Amino acid sequence: MREDTRTRIQEIALRLFTEQGYEATSLREIAEELGVTKAALYYHFKTKDDIVTSLVGNRLVELEELLEWARSRPKTPQTRRELVERYAAGIRRTQHIGVARFLERNQTALRDHPTLAKTRELMMELVAELNEPGATPVERVSRATALFAIHAGKWMIDQGQLSEDEVDKASLEVAMRLLEP
């Protein structure tokens, strides 16, 4: 029951933060939407920042695990392909698109949030793992773009022209093409 309430708070907060903006949404509004008192909400989250940290937290864990895996492997084309496949699978498993929309719409308010700074740091480390020493600038940029191709495709789902599965497959194919320029 406790996890269900926590998850429900995250869902409502994510929706309100995305629709109204992070700064314009209060904990009181989240509690009202959930149908609980503010004190009950405080039991799970003391601040809006705590909610943001929880929303991004699972992604951080996934990135840290993927980075640990990548560091334990040789920097070969096969490792690069598997890293991108694992990255894409992680994006499919999570509530990534909802959180990404929220972050995109609230960039100014969250620019200095420590959890998001950590996410950026891990992404840069992951990009570095795609390259062996001596990789050319074109290889480095192309391989970094491969990871971002996975994200870019997700925005096409909203247009309704492609299914989520079609977008995922196409994004992965584009990412693979970018790995070995």
Side-chain angles (χ1 to χ4, degrees):
M1 180 70 170
R2 184 174 156 175
E3 272 307 305
D4 290 344
T5 301
R6 187 174 171 82
T7 300
R8 187 79 180 115
I9 292 168
Q10 290 171 317
E11 290 169 353
I12 289 170
L14 181 60
R15 182 175 52 78
L16 292 175
F17 290 161
T18 303
E19 290 173 0
Q20 300 176 178
Y22 175 77
E23 292 176 325
T25 303
S26 69
L27 287 175
R28 179 189 50 74
E29 288 175 286
I30 296 168
E32 286 175 3
E33 182 87 15
L34 187 61
V36 300
T37 65
K38 212 163 137 182
L41 179 65
Y42 284 153
Y43 176 79
H44 297 280
F45 298 102
K46 303 282 187 244
T47 66
K48 292 191 302 184
D49 278 348
D50 290 345
I51 297 172
V52 170
T53 299
S54 75
L55 289 169
V56 180
N58 290 341
R59 184 75 181 131
L60 280 176
V61 169
E62 285 180 0
L63 288 174
E64 287 168 342
E65 289 172 354
L66 184 56
L67 192 54
E68 184 179 327
W69 174 87
R71 287 179 175 151
S72 73
R73 302 292 190 274
K75 293 181 191 270
T76 64
Q78 178 58 36
T79 299
R80 283 191 282 278
R81 283 191 298 276
E82 191 170 343
L83 188 150
V84 170
E85 288 170 351
R86 287 172 178 239
Y87 185 83
I91 297 286
R92 283 191 302 271
R93 267 194 315 273
T94 64
Q95 61 184 6
H96 173 76
I97 194 68
V99 173
R101 274 193 195 99
F102 152 63
L103 296 174
E104 184 260 331
R105 292 179 184 163
N106 292 277
Q107 290 177 37
T108 303
L110 298 169
R111 178 183 45 239
D112 298 323
H113 194 282
T115 305
L116 300 178
K118 180 67 175 172
T119 302
R120 284 188 292 274
E121 176 186 318
L122 290 173
M123 284 300 298
M124 295 312 296
E125 290 178 35
L126 202 55
V127 165
E129 289 301 316
L130 288 171
N131 295 293
E132 66 279 346
T136 68
V138 169
E139 289 170 328
R140 291 175 186 278
V141 171
S142 187
R143 291 170 183 159
T145 306
L147 287 182
F148 296 105
I150 302 297
H151 294 272
K154 291 293 188 184
W155 297 106
M156 295 181 69
I157 294 169
D158 284 347
Q159 297 172 356
Q161 297 170 344
L162 299 172
S163 71
E164 189 169 354
D165 190 50
E166 289 172 315
V167 168
D168 288 343
K169 286 178 182 176
S171 297
L172 187 57
E173 183 178 328
V174 169
M176 291 302 173
R177 289 179 187 175
L178 289 166
L179 283 178
E180 304 304 328

